[in-house]
Structure formats: structure tokens, C-alpha cells
Amino acid sequence: MKRARKPALVALGALVVTAALGPVSATAAPPEECGEAPTCTELLNVTGEPVLWTVPDGVEELSLTVAAGAGGNYFSDGGAGGRIETVLSVEPGDELAFVVGDRGHNSSDGGAGGYGGGASSFGNGYGAGGGGGSFVFAEDAGSWEPLLIAGGGGGGSRDQDADFEFGGDGYGGDGGFTGSGPDAAPADPDHHAAGATVSAAGYRGGPQASFDGATFTPGSGQTAANYGGTGAGGGGGGYYGGAAAGSGYRGGGGGSGFAAADVAVTESANEQAAGFIEVSYVNLHTAATVSASTEAPLAGDSVTLTGQIGQFDAAGGSGTLAFLVTSGGEQTTIETVDVTTEGSGPFTASAEVEFVPPQTGEYVVDLVYTDDGGHYDTTAEALTLVAGPRASATTLTTDPESPVEGEEVVLTATVNDAETTAGEGIGPVSGTVTFVEGETTIGSAEIVDGVATLTWEPAAGDYDLSASYAGDATYSASEAQAVVTVDVAPTPTPTPTETDSPTETPEPSETPAETPAETPSEIPAQDELPETGGEPMIPALLTLGLLAAGAVLLLVRRARVS
């Protein structure tokens, strides 16, 4: 134990430990939380057994108030229990043992002494019992040392001048603190018998309590002597028992107390009550919370996360706030921020960070406060964000816009973000687009840089087309329609061949033809020509005309020659 006021061990009759102690566990550990007050305070009352107590983590100083039990009443009031207030230097994990003294029993209840070493009255109820002392022990290398002891108050008695009246001079002595009272106990100006000193030690009583193999035997108050057959109150319990009053009908002396050096002592004030021990220490706990600007963002939208801590002991506490997010079984740190508390209790500090869920799904946000060296680390209750999909918009175009039968058509689907908010930290639209004509699937294509294309060779006709985007981890599905008319291909115009060209007219020959030519009268007239069925007969008629002209010229030439 770290304490500047470690007491020296004192001699006989004070504390007896009948068995060595090994490591012990607290039977009444301090609470982990003690509200938002800057100071944690625990009050221990009479339990009838020692209470083991462990110094909390981070605590290096305790404020203690140790009050003993008052003496019981017998016509006159018993003495007040002693009271000690002090500050102890400790270390986290130190083990302390507290014994809280009880009030002495009144004579009407039998006059028994209070738990903690109070002595019973003399004479089976003639006089009241002394109050029990309150003790603080510290474990040191397997044994227990007294740190603080408040002496119990002496029991009350009757006033010899008014044997059966209340309010006389038979007060019990107040509990002592440092053993400064006289050996004998004459009446003081307030009609109280003083606390006993070391040289006026009371009798050691039997074992008072035991735990974990150790037995505590606090000093017992000395039983009051019988004066004149009327009895007097018992001495109060303490480090040394209180002496009996030095004259008839006076109450027993209060038990003396003990304190380590340089402690602050309050002289009495626990009138007519059982003892108590109050333990106070700074509240080093930190309350942490995390909240979000929205718990249902769209994938890609920025969310503002706010972390707040409340430290309860003082302003100016510092440390770090780490914002963590878990998704898909993996945890990552969003950001770590330094913080310093300010203001008035509970002395808060806060920090904000931005988080962008990259795709749909659940994101569990944790806030972890890491101590600055003077406070407890803590983690806020987790916050769950559920990111929804962003809306997509699909358009469908064809190239060419007015195709004809037999022509290849390129179908193009363009998929974009349709949200008005500006998504951050997300990639382009991905996934597939399915192209459908009526109820017949043409085919599917992957989206590359927001565009999916497919080549289609339709026959002539009218078509209702659609492009269906299936969605991805970030975007919802969308669809676009288009109507396309495919025309019939035109009939091609034939190209003239060599057989279709006019026959050349031969030059007239000077040599008469051996075969007589037909006379012009044998050439059919124009209106006798057979019907040919259309324009293709024109070249044939021209050819016949040229042949007829050639025959006439030949006949004329022969006539001249002859």
C-alpha cells in the first residue's frame, strides 16, 4: 500500500489476527459506475462482520470518514462515538477491511455492548452498554494493519442525586481519538467521563469477527464497576477499551481511538447513533455516446458521426476518440480524434467525422475512448446504420435510328445515378443490362463505364424494345423502352449487259450478195409487228428497221450496176 501516513504497529491488546491471510477478494467491491457526480461516495453501515473493499482502478487517493457507535442509554445518554476524517494515499487494487461499530444497547434491552468491541454494562442491565469502535485495516504482506480507529462511546448511567430520573449527570464518556483522556475518569465540564488512555486499557474481549481465515479482536471496553449497588455504564470499544467511571453512577469511559500520523480528526459528533464508514474518491469513469446525422443513408451519401464523452471528475480531461465501423465481418478505423473536456460537470467533449457507406447493407459504428492517463477507457453503445440503394436511370437508343431489313442495329443502354444528392466514394454503375423485344430476350451485356451495347439483326417490322438494368450493390434496378420500325429493303435496278446493246450496221459491200435479199414488201408493217409486252421490244424494232434500210440500199445498188 502506498501511503505517507503508514502507522507503526502498536502493542498488546489492540488487534489479534489468529491466521495469516493470503490474497483476498472483496465481498463488497466498489461499483463500476457512480453516476455523473465528480466524486464517487460509498457509505458502509453496520453489517456485523468485516467488509473487504478493493481500491478501484485509477484511484490513488481515498477520503475516509470513520465514525464509531455511541454508548447506550440508562436514564442518561451514552457518550458519542468517535469520528475521524482523513485522506489516505492508496494504489489501485489495494485491499482494505472495514469494521463498522454498532451503538451500545440501552439498559432496557439488556445493556449489551455494540459490535466492534463495546463492553456490556455491570449488573445485568444496571447501566447501558458501550458503543463499538469502527476500524479500517489494510492488507500488508499477508497480514492486516490498523490504519484508522474511532473509539466507541461509553454507556450511560443514573445520576446519584436523582436515582430514577432522566437528564442527570450520568453521561457516558465520548469516544476518544488519540488516547489523550486521563487514566481515571472524573467528570468533565459537560458531565462526561473522558476517553481512556493506553495505560487505562480495558479488558480484551473474545473474538469479535472473522473472515478468510483471519480473526479480528478489537479492544473491548472495560465493564463498569459496581458503585453502591446501582451500577454504571460500560466503557466504549476502541483500540483500547474505555475505563469505567471513577465515581458512583457515572457512565463508563469512551474507547480511545487511533489514527495514522497527520490525519484530520473531528472530535465526536456521532451522537446516539450506530457507526458508519464513508469512502469517497474521484469519479474517473467516462460516459461515451455516438450518434449519426441519419441512420438510414443512401449508399454513397456522407453521414456525420458525432462522438461525445462526459468525464465526471474535472474539466481538462483529455484522450482520443476512435470511430470504428464493421461491415461484412471486417472492422476498420474511420478516424481517431484528440479531445479535451471543458465546461462544468459532467465536463463534456465531442468530435465529428464523416463516413460514406460505399454500398448497401448494415454498418455497425463503435466509439472507443482511450484514457489520457487519469480516466477509465470506455466504449459507447454501438450504432447501426442501414444504407439503402441509390436510384438509377436507364436510357435506350438504336443505331441507326431507322434501320432497314438486313441491316445490323446497335442497341445502347446508358445507366446513370438518378439521385439528386452527390454520392461520394462509390464506383461507377456496374452489372448487366438485358435487352428484350416484346417478350423475347435478345441478349444481355455487361455495363462498362455506364454503357452496355448489343448488336441485333431484325427483319422488317415494328418492334417494342426494352433495356432492363438489374442493379448492383449500390444502385437499384431501372428500365427503359424504345419503339423501332425496320423497313423493307428496296428492289435493286439491273445493270445493262453486252447482249442488250444495239447491233452495228454493216458497211455496204461492193460485191453483190449471193443470197437474194427479201424485198421491202416482205417487211412487216409497223402495225403488224407482234406485241412484245413492253419497253424491252424497242431495241428489237430498231434493229429490224436498220436491217430493212440496208436491204433497200442493196437493191438500189444492184439495179444501177445492171
Side-chain angles (χ1 to χ4, degrees), residues 25-29 44-54 95-100 115 135 137 144 211 216:
S25 299
T27 59
L44 291 84
N45 294 307
V46 179
T47 61
E49 61 182 359
V51 174
L52 296 184
W53 196 89
T54 303
E95 298 285 351
L96 301 177
F98 299 134
V99 174
V100 181
Y115 171 76
F135 302 77
F137 302 103
W144 293 85
F211 61 98
F216 286 105

Coordinates of all heavy atoms in Angstrom, one line a residue, residues 25-29 44-54 95-100 115 135 137 144 211 216:
S25 N -10.4 -11.6 -1.8 CA -11.3 -11.0 -2.8 C -12.4 -10.1 -2.0 O -12.8 -10.5 -1.0 CB -12.1 -12.0 -3.6 OG -11.1 -12.8 -4.3
A26 N -12.7 -9.0 -2.6 CA -13.6 -8.1 -1.9 C -15.0 -8.7 -1.9 O -15.5 -9.2 -2.9 CB -13.7 -6.8 -2.6
T27 N -15.7 -8.7 -0.7 CA -17.0 -9.1 -0.7 C -18.0 -8.0 -1.0 O -19.2 -8.3 -1.2 CB -17.3 -9.7 0.7 OG1 -17.1 -8.6 1.7 CG2 -16.4 -10.9 1.1
A28 N -17.5 -6.8 -1.0 CA -18.4 -5.6 -1.4 C -17.5 -4.7 -2.2 O -17.0 -3.7 -1.7 CB -18.9 -4.9 -0.1
A29 N -17.3 -5.1 -3.5 CA -16.5 -4.3 -4.3 C -17.2 -3.0 -4.7 O -18.4 -2.9 -4.7 CB -16.2 -5.1 -5.7
L44 N -20.8 2.7 4.2 CA -20.9 1.4 4.8 C -21.5 1.5 6.2 O -21.0 2.3 7.0 CB -19.5 0.8 4.8 CG -18.9 0.4 3.5 CD1 -18.2 1.5 2.9 CD2 -17.9 -0.8 3.7
N45 N -22.5 0.8 6.4 CA -23.2 0.7 7.7 C -22.8 -0.5 8.4 O -22.1 -1.4 8.0 CB -24.7 0.9 7.5 CG -25.1 2.3 7.0 OD1 -24.7 3.3 7.5 ND2 -25.8 2.3 5.9
V46 N -23.4 -0.7 9.6 CA -23.1 -1.9 10.4 C -23.6 -3.2 9.7 O -24.7 -3.2 9.3 CB -23.8 -1.8 11.8 CG1 -23.6 -3.0 12.6 CG2 -23.4 -0.5 12.5
T47 N -22.7 -4.1 9.6 CA -23.0 -5.4 9.0 C -22.8 -6.5 9.9 O -23.3 -7.7 9.7 CB -22.2 -5.6 7.7 OG1 -20.8 -5.7 8.1 CG2 -22.4 -4.5 6.7
G48 N -22.1 -6.3 11.0 CA -21.9 -7.4 12.0 C -20.7 -8.3 11.5 O -20.4 -9.3 12.1
E49 N -20.0 -7.9 10.5 CA -18.8 -8.6 10.0 C -17.9 -7.6 9.3 O -18.4 -6.6 8.7 CB -19.1 -9.8 9.2 CG -19.9 -9.4 7.9 CD -20.3 -10.6 7.1 OE1 -19.9 -11.7 7.5 OE2 -20.9 -10.4 6.0
P50 N -16.6 -7.9 9.2 CA -15.8 -7.1 8.4 C -16.2 -7.1 6.9 O -16.6 -8.1 6.4 CB -14.4 -7.6 8.6 CG -14.5 -8.4 9.8 CD -15.9 -9.0 9.8
V51 N -16.0 -6.0 6.2 CA -16.2 -5.9 4.8 C -14.9 -5.6 4.0 O -14.2 -4.7 4.4 CB -17.2 -4.7 4.5 CG1 -17.4 -4.6 3.0 CG2 -18.6 -5.0 5.2
L52 N -14.6 -6.5 3.1 CA -13.4 -6.3 2.3 C -13.7 -5.4 1.1 O -14.8 -5.5 0.5 CB -12.9 -7.7 1.8 CG -12.5 -8.7 2.8 CD1 -11.9 -9.9 2.1 CD2 -11.4 -8.1 3.7
W53 N -12.8 -4.5 0.8 CA -13.0 -3.5 -0.2 C -11.8 -3.3 -1.0 O -10.7 -3.2 -0.5 CB -13.4 -2.2 0.5 CG -14.0 -1.1 -0.3 CD1 -15.3 -0.9 -0.5 CD2 -13.3 0.0 -0.9 NE1 -15.5 0.2 -1.3 CE2 -14.3 0.8 -1.6 CE3 -12.0 0.3 -1.1 CZ2 -14.0 1.9 -2.3 CZ3 -11.6 1.4 -1.8 CH2 -12.6 2.2 -2.4
T54 N -11.9 -3.3 -2.3 CA -10.8 -3.2 -3.3 C -10.7 -1.7 -3.8 O -11.7 -1.2 -4.3 CB -10.9 -4.2 -4.4 OG1 -11.0 -5.5 -3.9 CG2 -9.7 -4.1 -5.3
E95 N -6.2 -3.8 -0.9 CA -7.3 -4.4 -0.2 C -7.4 -3.8 1.2 O -6.4 -3.7 1.9 CB -7.1 -5.9 0.0 CG -7.0 -6.7 -1.3 CD -8.4 -6.9 -2.0 OE1 -9.4 -6.5 -1.3 OE2 -8.4 -7.4 -3.1
L96 N -8.6 -3.3 1.5 CA -8.9 -2.8 2.8 C -10.0 -3.6 3.5 O -10.8 -4.2 2.8 CB -9.4 -1.3 2.7 CG -8.4 -0.3 2.0 CD1 -9.1 1.1 1.9 CD2 -7.1 -0.2 2.8
A97 N -10.0 -3.5 4.8 CA -11.1 -4.2 5.6 C -11.7 -3.1 6.5 O -11.0 -2.4 7.2 CB -10.6 -5.4 6.4
F98 N -13.0 -3.1 6.4 CA -13.8 -2.1 7.2 C -14.6 -2.8 8.3 O -15.3 -3.8 8.0 CB -14.7 -1.3 6.4 CG -14.0 -0.5 5.3 CD1 -14.5 -0.4 4.0 CD2 -12.9 0.3 5.6 CE1 -13.9 0.3 3.0 CE2 -12.2 1.0 4.6 CZ -12.7 1.1 3.3
V99 N -14.5 -2.4 9.5 CA -15.4 -2.8 10.6 C -16.2 -1.6 11.1 O -15.6 -0.6 11.6 CB -14.6 -3.5 11.7 CG1 -15.5 -3.9 12.9 CG2 -13.9 -4.7 11.2
V100 N -17.5 -1.7 11.1 CA -18.3 -0.5 11.5 C -18.9 -0.9 12.8 O -19.7 -1.9 13.0 CB -19.4 -0.2 10.4 CG1 -20.3 1.0 10.9 CG2 -18.8 0.0 9.1
Y115 N -21.5 -4.0 18.5 CA -20.5 -4.7 17.7 C -19.3 -3.8 17.4 O -19.5 -2.6 17.1 CB -21.1 -5.2 16.4 CG -20.1 -5.7 15.4 CD1 -19.6 -7.0 15.6 CD2 -19.7 -4.9 14.3 CE1 -18.7 -7.5 14.7 CE2 -18.8 -5.4 13.4 CZ -18.2 -6.7 13.6 OH -17.3 -7.2 12.7
F135 N -13.3 0.5 12.6 CA -11.9 0.2 12.3 C -11.7 0.2 10.7 O -12.5 -0.3 10.0 CB -11.5 -1.2 12.8 CG -11.7 -1.3 14.3 CD1 -12.9 -1.5 14.8 CD2 -10.6 -1.3 15.2 CE1 -13.1 -1.7 16.2 CE2 -10.8 -1.4 16.5 CZ -12.0 -1.6 17.1
F137 N -8.6 -1.5 8.4 CA -7.4 -2.3 8.3 C -6.9 -2.3 6.9 O -7.7 -2.3 5.9 CB -7.6 -3.7 8.8 CG -8.1 -3.8 10.2 CD1 -9.5 -4.0 10.5 CD2 -7.3 -3.6 11.3 CE1 -10.0 -4.1 11.8 CE2 -7.8 -3.6 12.6 CZ -9.1 -3.9 12.8
W144 N -2.7 -8.0 8.4 CA -3.6 -6.8 8.4 C -3.1 -5.8 9.5 O -2.9 -6.1 10.6 CB -5.0 -7.2 8.7 CG -5.6 -8.0 7.5 CD1 -5.5 -9.4 7.4 CD2 -6.3 -7.5 6.4 NE1 -6.1 -9.8 6.2 CE2 -6.6 -8.6 5.6 CE3 -6.7 -6.3 6.0 CZ2 -7.3 -8.5 4.4 CZ3 -7.4 -6.1 4.8 CH2 -7.7 -7.3 4.1
F211 N -12.9 -13.5 9.0 CA -13.2 -13.6 7.6 C -11.9 -14.2 7.0 O -10.8 -13.8 7.4 CB -13.6 -12.3 7.0 CG -12.5 -11.2 7.1 CD1 -11.7 -11.0 6.0 CD2 -12.4 -10.5 8.3 CE1 -10.7 -10.0 6.1 CE2 -11.4 -9.5 8.4 CZ -10.6 -9.3 7.3
F216 N -10.5 -11.0 13.8 CA -10.3 -9.7 14.4 C -10.8 -9.7 15.9 O -11.9 -10.1 16.1 CB -11.0 -8.6 13.6 CG -10.3 -8.3 12.3 CD1 -10.9 -8.7 11.1 CD2 -9.2 -7.5 12.3 CE1 -10.3 -8.4 9.9 CE2 -8.6 -7.2 11.1 CZ -9.1 -7.7 9.9

